[in-house]
Amino acid sequence: CNTGFKSDAWRLIWSSRRSLANKTNLNMSSKLPAITLLDSIALIDPSYAGTIVVTGSHGGRSAAGFVVDVREKPLAVFFNDAGGGKDNAGKVGLEMLQAIGVAAACYSHMSARIGDAQDGLDNGVLTDLNELAKQAGIKTEMEVSQAIRCIQTL
């Protein structure tokens, strides 16, 4: 993990979202962003602002649209890649979230069940990520739990 900031943009996003996370944190330490498990990203709402979301949903356009539409954004989202699909349809949402300042990554459908966020957290292995996730020190082949630690230690 990268424990520093790669860009001023990531530093600004992190500091603004971190203050939101501290208000809704479910972790033992109030200094760490909460981890939210959503089997379906359609369940996202403003109460998850500033948290790290792991979802069992694919990372496609329609799924990313739920994050785009929520008023207050999560800090990061981890999706299932759903096997990629035609024209990488299972991952195109990563760039949509990049455009709104949300770090995002997909984990392999072969490492964790589609629709099961807990399995994604426990067993997910990353296959693709957006630039903000890269700036946080996250890399492909990383386990989701390790990638979350990268974000939490920023």
Side-chain angles (χ1 to χ4, degrees):
C1 287
N2 173 16
T3 57
F5 294 100
K6 290 271 187 179
S7 73
D8 289 334
W10 179 248
R11 185 186 332 269
L12 291 172
I13 290 165
W14 172 249
S15 62
S16 67
R17 299 254 169 79
R18 186 167 187 150
S19 65
L20 290 170
N22 287 338
K23 294 177 187 172
T24 60
N25 196 333
L26 303 175
N27 287 331
M28 296 295 279
S29 169
S30 64
K31 294 185 179 189
L32 296 177
I35 299 167
T36 301
L37 300 177
L38 297 174
D39 287 339
S40 172
I41 197 66
L43 301 174
I44 197 166
D45 65 47
S47 71
Y48 302 122
T51 70
I52 298 168
V53 175
V54 179
T55 181
S57 294
H58 61 77
R61 184 174 314 283
S62 61
F66 289 105
V67 180
V68 170
D69 291 344
V70 74
R71 185 179 67 244
E72 294 181 40
K73 309 299 185 214
L75 181 61
V77 181
F78 293 88
F79 295 98
N80 191 301
D81 71 8
K86 184 177 180 181
D87 299 325
N88 279 321
K91 303 178 187 181
V92 297
L94 300 180
E95 293 313 310
M96 291 172 62
L97 297 190
Q98 173 73 27
I100 62 167
V102 176
C106 286
Y107 57 86
S108 172
H109 68 289
M110 297 299 287
S111 65
R113 290 182 293 277
I114 298 170
D116 187 339
Q118 184 69 60
D119 196 30
L121 175 63
D122 294 342
N123 301 302
V125 177
L126 299 182
T127 58
D128 205 4
L129 48 151
N130 68 13
E131 189 59 34
L132 283 170
K134 290 176 188 174
Q135 290 174 8
I138 298 170
K139 298 176 178 25
T140 58
E141 309 280 323
M142 234 182 219
E143 294 178 359
V144 170
S145 58
Q146 181 183 5
I148 287 172
R149 285 190 297 277
C150 289
I151 294 171
Q152 288 179 321
T153 59
L154 287 176

